[in-house]
Amino acid sequence: MEGKKPAVAMSPFLIFSFFIFLSLSISSTALQYQSLVLRPLPKPPQSLSWKDDSEVSFTDSELDSGEETDTFSLQLHHVDLLSTTNFNATPESIFRTRLQRDALRVKSISELAAVKTNATFRGRPSPRGAVGGDFSSSIISGLSQGSGEYFTRLGVGTPAKYFYMVLDTGSDIVWIQCSPCRKCYTQSDPIFNPSRSSTFGSVPCSSPLCRRLDSPGCNNRQKCLYQVSYGDGSFTVGEFSTETLTFRRTRVKNVAFGCGHDNEGLFIGAAGLLGLGRGKLSFPGQTGRRFGQKFSYCLVDRSASARPSSIVFGQSAVSRNAVFTPMLTNPKMDTFYYVGLTGISVGGTRVPGITESLFKLDGAGNGGVIVDSGTSVTRLTRPAYIALRDAFRTGASNLKRAPDFSLFDTCFDLSGKTEVKVPTVVLHFTGADVSLPASNYLIPVDSSGRFCFAFAGTLSGLSIIGNIQQQGFRVVFDTASSRVGFAPRGCA
């Protein structure tokens, strides 16, 4: 009887090498990639031209001023158009300035959220604009207009005078620079003169509208005063008033707004701000019934298209192909649009270190995730960002690394290439998965072919979904149904 042949023993090194090879093979085939067509930074604009009918004169019969639910849309342009016109700016200098604005805005948002949550903010001394009475406390609402990223053109008063106004989902108060000015910054249009409008109205101190301000003031003529202070030191002060606003063919009467006589700080070109926040004094908050408490915008990728972005108010704002996530409520902060982020996938696999608990909005108003039009780069709490960054670096290990740039610590040298493959990135919201185009997270930062991963970490508990990640989606804010939607390819 023949004996059995002895088993051939494999060395521990060969066994270890085999399993390493096997795991690398599985991970490489399992990862999902998509193509990124490489485009340079957008060139600075040479002129600012408005190619719609926003300033066409309509008769009263042609203007819609009814109270029933209706809809209208507006063009949006990036603030770089206002800030670089007639200047010899380079794409790199424009982008660096944008990141500087972004850092100030994120600081403002974090401080504002902390102020509201802890309720320990001390109002700044009364600015010069608070004439005729004491004004020692601040309305902590909104963020620096100079940090607002998109603006439109609309009519103020009767007859309508047209102005560039920043639109901002992180602000509530609507305001504009008004004459007489104690101090006004330089804007592209003449300062609004309320004495030449037949529909301008003052708000008395005793009015319920005045009491809706967080901290109203009063002058010696018993007129309501407002003040908005920002985290970067900017502020606007003046009389809280009412006025008619005209959006193309749509006229909206009795909009409460700040008529600012002292406006200082980081402001760029535009005459004021149209607050689109969730608060009762924002434009959507005031006109909710008429426009069904719905609006949406789609922000184009400026490196890929010269078309303007757009914003829609009313039922038409809701896209049929949008996926929706519930709009969460912060009991301490009614300005921001909070959503539930449960995780992030890279290359088709959920990143293990990113859990729902990292983004939880607690009962005291701490933490959470907001969707913001005025923040450029998405900020994630530091542990979530580190996990996301490391997962992306692993998936993009075939790309040549480049030095860090500004707040970006994951950059690549893609010079000489026209297209590359990058791992997919999907944001998992409660009930909605949002798959990002590659151009929404790997972006050019200079003219030498350096591209960087467009996320950043923050030590604040608050995370922010920025507008770079929102590009190309129609983002729907449906407060009537308390939900936020994302519709891909929504700018067509």
Side-chain angles (χ1 to χ4, degrees), residues 131-149:
V131 293
D134 294 332
F135 201 144
S136 59
S137 57
S138 299
I139 301 167
I140 309 303
S141 175
L143 302 152
S144 172
Q145 180 263 332
S147 296
E149 287 282 286

Side-chain angles (χ1 to χ4, degrees), residues 285-326:
Q286 293 188 55
T287 62
R289 185 179 68 174
R290 180 172 177 186
F291 302 112
Q293 300 181 62
K294 300 174 180 67
F295 74 93
S296 67
Y297 56 71
C298 192
L299 310 175
V300 301
D301 181 350
R302 293 178 301 116
S303 66
S305 174
R307 291 182 300 134
S309 300
S310 65
I311 186 166
V312 180
F313 292 86
Q315 188 58 44
S316 298
V318 181
S319 299
R320 293 181 179 179
N321 64 328
V323 292
F324 286 94
T325 185

Side-chain angles (χ1 to χ4, degrees), residues 403-416:
D404 298 350
F405 180 91
S406 183
L407 78 167
F408 301 127
D409 62 4
T410 301
C411 300
F412 303 91
D413 179 3
L414 305 182
S415 57

Side-chain angles (χ1 to χ4, degrees), residues 136-433:
S136 59
S137 57
S138 299
I139 301 167
I140 309 303
S141 175
L143 302 152
S144 172
Q145 180 263 332
S147 296
E149 287 282 286
Y150 291 88
F151 67 92
T152 192
R153 195 154 177 83
L154 57 88
V156 181
T158 306
K161 301 296 183 182
Y162 285 84
F163 301 91
Y164 295 116
M165 299 279 283
V166 167
L167 280 74
D168 186 6
T169 55
S171 299
D172 285 336
I173 304 296
V174 180
W175 63 268
I176 190 172
Q177 295 200 114
C178 284
S179 62
C181 283
R182 289 279 178 151
K183 184 171 184 180
C184 288
Y185 59 86
T186 301
Q187 64 180 52
S188 301
D189 301 292
I191 303 294
F192 175 65
N193 187 344
S195 67
R196 296 180 182 175
S197 170
S198 63
T199 49
F200 179 84
S202 297
V203 174
C205 297
S206 58
S207 167
L209 187 59
C210 185
R211 291 195 293 269
R212 289 171 69 179
L213 292 168
D214 286 354
S215 298
C218 191
N219 64 16
N220 54 16
R221 291 172 294 165
Q222 295 302 302
K223 291 184 177 180
C224 183
L225 299 178
Y226 82 99
Q227 173 180 330
V228 182
S229 298
Y230 302 109
D232 63 1
S234 306
F235 63 86
T236 174
V237 173
E239 294 182 9
F240 201 52
S241 313
T242 59
E243 187 54 284
T244 294
L245 302 184
T246 302
F247 304 85
R248 301 175 72 178
R249 288 179 178 268
T250 300
R251 184 166 55 190
V252 184
K253 299 178 180 179
N254 297 316
V255 176
F257 82 118
C259 193
H261 300 296
D262 188 347
N263 317 283
E264 300 182 36
L266 183 68
F267 302 115
I268 301 173
L273 182 144
L274 189 75
L276 299 178
R278 199 177 175 185
K280 294 180 180 179
L281 288 175
S282 71
F283 180 75
Q286 293 188 55
T287 62
R289 185 179 68 174
R290 180 172 177 186
F291 302 112
Q293 300 181 62
K294 300 174 180 67
F295 74 93
S296 67
Y297 56 71
C298 192
L299 310 175
V300 301
D301 181 350
R302 293 178 301 116
S303 66
S305 174
R307 291 182 300 134
S309 300
S310 65
I311 186 166
V312 180
F313 292 86
Q315 188 58 44
S316 298
V318 181
S319 299
R320 293 181 179 179
N321 64 328
V323 292
F324 286 94
T325 185
M327 190 183 292
L328 305 182
T329 299
N330 185 340
K332 304 292 185 180
M333 162 63 68
D334 60 0
T335 298
F336 300 142
Y337 295 96
Y338 284 85
V339 293
L341 185 62
T342 62
I344 303 176
S345 290
V346 172
T349 303
R350 287 221 180 201
V351 180
I354 301 180
T355 61
E356 185 175 1
S357 61
L358 292 176
F359 308 112
K360 185 176 178 57
L361 175 63
D362 65 26
N366 299 301
V369 179
I370 65 172
V371 179
D372 182 46
S373 64
T375 299
S376 289
V377 179
T378 289
R379 301 315 205 273
L380 300 174
T381 56
R382 188 72 180 166
Y385 171 69
I386 294 297
L388 173 64
R389 178 200 67 186
D390 291 350
F392 187 82
R393 285 179 176 177
T394 299
S397 58
N398 59 313
L399 301 180
K400 181 182 178 182
R401 289 291 297 274
D404 298 350
F405 180 91
S406 183
L407 78 167
F408 301 127
D409 62 4
T410 301
C411 300
F412 303 91
D413 179 3
L414 305 182
S415 57
K417 300 179 183 295
T418 57
E419 185 175 322
V420 295
K421 295 288 187 180
V422 296
T424 58
V425 174
V426 179
L427 304 180
H428 299 289
F429 297 99
T430 305
D433 295 336

